[in-house]
């Protein structure tokens, strides 16, 4: 795949991700417009109990377009505060310029409400010590909106540009304020805005689809028809074969039996990560992946593939994986053709930017799904899940348990998905410059090109085309 097409695919993926945000956001806004407003058309918060031993409860500063060049359209948003006193004493609620409020309450004992949580009781305060206010709040002339009296007091304000503070006090400026407060907001033209957001998201999605079509379409000429029929070889090979006579029940304990491998692999992958960073700089300055590092890193991926094939990502063999980096006789094999030269420019972007489309796919294949979730006391939650590969392997294991046979078609699909993951892993680990194909090469045999190595040879041997080493039982 040409570099230009790769760039277009990356751009299309980014546009698609942005479009999802707009589509989901617009859809949620339309849903909220129809279900979450009260009779007066306001979106409201929960009723929060607020209390202070001081003389006032204040909000943090609400800064709306006070910097040069900023603007805030009048009449766009209306806010409403419903404040109910906890006793029979009159209550005062007002909104005023932050500078004037700060001057009025300078040196006064107050509590500033710094944060509201999702639950009614989740309120955080910042306490300021001080003395008694010089006058009652109603005596001040800077309030842009205010309400005072017994029972529930409602303040409605047409939001304007500026820095504002909300203040709740006892009307006589006495200490010990206890109220229940609810906030609401009404946005002019909210439904039209929601529809526009949704349509914009759909437009972006269409643009992303068009870019993907343009980037992935191919022209098939008479000379290229044969090549178009057969998949192009890729220099990362992953293969596997089903053991005859697989145990019906052993898959239940393979993950436990593989714990020694997991411990060793944890240290090997730490070394893999450090050496990959070293390889990055070597490629950047020399254009070559150091052969010793390459052989080691391929060996780590090979070891990982054998263990995962045995324990969880295929469950197609009962043979215990060997503790070795070398390519030995085993029903699961992996290799990468050693590149003589690598691009110094691609090494800067391929492992993060260019691989983004594949990362999204690999995330779904390996860990992007939750099968089941339940609350386990308080805010704790128990989630059981995994990717598409995990789901398919579980289905295959259940079929094996009840029929004594591993479904061959399901095995072919699982192998294709694992092959996709490992090709991306090799590309992201800087081992190859060839962009991984958006193609599902199913089956135990891999059509790729890899070193022809006899069992026991060092990993990462010389490259030459060959027929697949393994055949599926």
């Amino acid at each position: 795949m040409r570099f230009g097409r790769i760039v277009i695919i990356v751009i299309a993926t980014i546009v698609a991700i942005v479009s999802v945000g707009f589509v989901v956001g617009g859809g949620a806004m339309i849903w909220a417009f129809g279900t979450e407003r009260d009779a007066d058309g306001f979106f409201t918060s929960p009723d929060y109990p607020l209390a202070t031993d001081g003389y006032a409860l204040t909000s943090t500063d609400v800064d709306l377009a006070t910097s040069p060049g900023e603007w805030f359209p009048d009449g766009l948003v209306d806010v409403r505060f419903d404040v109910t006193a906890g006793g029979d004493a009159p209550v005062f609620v007002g909104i005023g310029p932050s500078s004037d409020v700060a001057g009025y309450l300078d040196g006064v004992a107050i509590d500033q409400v710094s944060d509201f949580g999702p639950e009614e009781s989740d309120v955080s305060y910042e306490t300021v010590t001080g003395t008694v206010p010089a006058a009652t709040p109603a005596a001040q002339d800077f309030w842009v909106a205010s309400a005072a009296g017994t029972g529930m007091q409602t303040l409605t304000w047409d939001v304007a540009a500026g820095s504002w503070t909300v203040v709740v006090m006892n009307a006589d400026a006495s200490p010990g304020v206890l109220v229940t407060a609810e906030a609401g907001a009404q946005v002019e033209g909210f439904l039209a805005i929601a529809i526009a957001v949704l349509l914009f998201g759909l437009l972006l999605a269409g643009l992303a689809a068009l870019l993907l079509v343009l980037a992935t379409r191919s022209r098939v000429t008479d000379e290229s028809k044969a090549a178009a029929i057969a998949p192009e070889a890729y220099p990362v090979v992953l293969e596997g074969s089903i053991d005859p006579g697989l145990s019906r029940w052993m898959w239940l304990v393979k993950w436990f039996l593989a714990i020694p491998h997991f411990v060793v692999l944890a240290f090997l992958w730490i070394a893999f990560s450090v050496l990959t960073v070293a390889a990055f700089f070597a490629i950047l300055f020399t254009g070559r992946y150091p052969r010793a590092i390459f052989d080691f890193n391929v060996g780590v991926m090979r070891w990982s593939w054998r263990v995962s094939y045995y324990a969880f990502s295929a469950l197609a063999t009962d043979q215990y994986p060997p503790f070795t980096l070398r390519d030995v006789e085993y029903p699961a094999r992996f290799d990468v053709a050693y590149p003589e030269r690598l691009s110094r420019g691609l090494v800067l972007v391929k492992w993060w930017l260019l691989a983004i489309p594949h990362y999204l796919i690999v995330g779904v294949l390996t860990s992007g799904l939750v099968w089941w979730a339940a609350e386990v006391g308080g805010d704790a939650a128990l989630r059981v899940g995994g990717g598409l590969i995990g789901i398919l392997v579980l289905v295959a294991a259940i079929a094996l348990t009840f029929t004594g046979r591993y479904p061959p078609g399901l095995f072919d699909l699982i192998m294709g998905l694992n092959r996709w993951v490992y090709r991306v892993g090799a590309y992201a680990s800087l081992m190859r410059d060839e962009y991984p194909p958006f193609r599902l090469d199913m089956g135990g045999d891999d059509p790729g090109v890899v070193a022809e190595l006899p069992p026991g040879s060092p990993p990462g041997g010389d490259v030459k085309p060959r027929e697949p080493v393994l055949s599926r039982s």
Side-chain angles (χ1 to χ4, degrees):
M1 182 178 292
R2 295 180 179 178
F3 180 77
R5 290 190 176 187
I6 296 174
V7 172
I8 293 176
I9 290 175
V10 172
I11 294 174
T13 303
I14 295 173
V15 172
I17 295 172
V18 174
S19 74
V20 170
F22 277 97
V23 170
V24 173
M29 290 170 68
I30 293 173
W31 172 82
F33 182 84
T35 62
E36 297 299 305
R37 300 184 305 155
D38 65 10
D40 295 323
F42 281 81
F43 297 99
T44 59
S45 71
D47 290 327
Y48 287 99
L50 305 176
T52 178
D53 292 330
Y55 294 89
L57 289 159
T58 71
S59 69
T60 55
D61 293 349
V62 180
D63 193 344
L64 299 175
T66 58
S67 299
E70 293 183 343
W71 62 277
F72 191 88
D74 292 336
L76 178 62
V77 179
D78 290 335
V79 297
R80 185 185 69 195
F81 295 97
D82 294 327
V83 178
T84 305
D88 296 330
V91 66
F92 172 91
V93 55
I95 299 175
S98 296
S99 58
D100 293 329
V101 171
Y104 169 55
L105 297 177
D106 184 28
V108 177
I110 65 171
D111 273 303
Q112 185 182 69
V113 180
S114 58
D115 185 49
F116 290 97
E119 301 295 332
E120 289 84 348
S121 58
D122 295 340
V123 182
S124 300
Y125 300 91
E126 293 181 5
T127 300
V128 178
T129 59
T131 58
V132 182
T136 62
Q140 311 306 309
D141 60 2
F142 54 74
W143 306 110
V144 295
S146 64
T150 57
M152 186 176 75
Q153 299 299 306
T154 299
L155 178 155
T156 303
W157 176 51
D158 184 0
V159 177
S163 182
W164 310 99
T165 301
V166 182
V167 178
V168 178
M169 301 176 64
N170 292 327
D172 59 0
S174 60
V177 183
L178 177 63
V179 298
T180 299
E182 176 191 88
Q186 184 181 56
V187 181
E188 184 70 24
F190 182 85
L191 181 59
I193 296 172
I195 294 174
V197 170
L198 176 62
L199 292 178
F200 183 68
L202 294 175
L203 179 64
L204 288 179
L207 176 61
L210 177 62
L211 290 174
L212 287 174
V213 169
L214 293 176
T216 57
R217 70 175 183 175
S218 59
R219 298 177 182 177
V220 181
T221 62
D222 292 338
E223 293 79 9
S224 62
K225 285 182 179 179
I229 295 173
E232 181 183 358
Y234 190 73
V236 175
V237 168
L238 179 142
E239 294 184 324
S241 62
I242 303 176
D243 277 2
L246 276 175
S247 167
R248 292 174 181 247
W249 304 103
M250 192 173 176
W251 64 272
L252 292 169
V253 297
K254 285 180 179 178
W255 64 271
F256 179 77
L257 299 177
I259 287 177
H261 281 283
F262 298 152
V263 173
V264 176
L265 283 171
F267 290 97
L268 289 177
W269 276 101
I270 293 173
F272 180 100
S273 301
V274 174
L275 291 176
T276 300
V277 173
F280 168 87
F281 288 103
I283 297 168
L284 183 62
F285 291 110
T286 70
R288 294 179 62 86
Y289 200 123
R291 186 57 181 265
I293 297 178
F294 183 88
D295 292 347
F296 176 85
N297 283 354
V298 170
V300 173
M301 295 186 70
R302 177 183 294 124
W303 192 329
S304 299
W305 167 236
R306 286 193 295 242
V307 174
S308 67
Y309 186 84
Y310 169 82
F312 53 86
S313 66
L315 300 176
T317 181
D318 291 338
Q319 299 182 42
Y320 197 71
F323 287 82
T324 180
L325 299 172
R326 300 166 67 89
D327 184 17
V328 297
E329 283 291 350
Y330 190 74
R333 300 185 70 183
F334 173 83
D335 210 345
V336 182
Y338 179 73
E340 293 299 328
R341 303 291 299 179
L342 290 169
S343 168
R344 301 183 186 185
L346 279 178
V347 76
L348 295 171
V349 295
K350 66 181 181 180
W351 54 274
W352 66 278
L353 178 61
L354 300 184
I356 287 176
H358 280 291
Y359 288 155
L360 297 176
I361 296 171
V362 168
V364 173
L365 297 183
T366 59
S367 60
L369 302 173
V370 174
W371 309 343
W372 177 77
E375 291 188 2
V376 186
D379 296 330
L382 176 63
R383 291 179 174 85
V384 179
L388 180 59
I389 293 175
I391 295 174
L392 295 177
V393 170
L394 178 62
V395 172
I398 294 173
L400 175 65
T401 300
F402 288 99
T403 69
R405 182 171 177 266
Y406 199 120
L410 192 55
F411 173 78
D412 291 344
L413 177 58
I414 290 170
M415 287 297 298
L417 298 176
N418 278 295
R419 188 168 289 125
W420 193 318
V421 171
Y422 273 78
R423 286 174 175 175
V424 174
Y427 178 79
S429 301
L430 314 178
M431 295 179 179
R432 301 294 309 190
D433 282 344
E434 296 87 350
Y435 198 71
F438 288 92
R439 185 179 71 228
L440 191 61
D441 292 329
M442 300 195 301
D445 297 334
D446 194 317
V449 178
V450 74
E452 180 70 68
L453 296 174
S457 299
D462 295 332
V463 179
K464 65 177 180 178
R466 64 156 176 84
E467 296 297 324
V469 175
L470 303 175
S471 59
R472 179 170 48 81
S473 299

